[in-house]
Amino acid sequence: MITHLPTAEPTAADLAAIDTEWPLIAAELDVLDAQITMLYAEDHGGPTTLDWRRLRRAEARVTRAAAEVAAPPIARRAAV
């Protein structure tokens, strides 16, 4: 018998975790967007210098955001 059914709504802890990781999620979405742009550019003569720069910057944002998420909570509060 199932005694505990999952709720349809996220808990406060779930929302807090998403909020904490959101900068990393957004940065990863930026990388994905830059990669898609690069794929479409192949049909139009290849990626431009600006396309490559956009991808490198998006990847750098992922690295910075991942480091912030991985930092202990005390260090994160001090950085804000």
Side-chain angles (χ1 to χ4, degrees), residues 36-73:
I36 290 169
T37 299
M38 301 273 290
L39 289 172
Y40 281 120
E42 291 295 328
D43 295 338
H44 303 287
T48 65
T49 303
L50 186 61
D51 293 333
W52 285 107
R53 184 182 309 159
R54 181 175 176 223
L55 179 60
R56 285 191 310 271
R57 287 183 177 178
E59 290 170 340
R61 277 193 302 274
V62 167
T63 302
R64 287 191 306 270
E68 288 177 17
V69 168

Side-chain angles (χ1 to χ4, degrees), residues 11-24:
T11 64
D14 293 336
L15 294 174
I18 292 169
D19 191 44
T20 300
E21 294 181 15
W22 186 253
L24 178 58

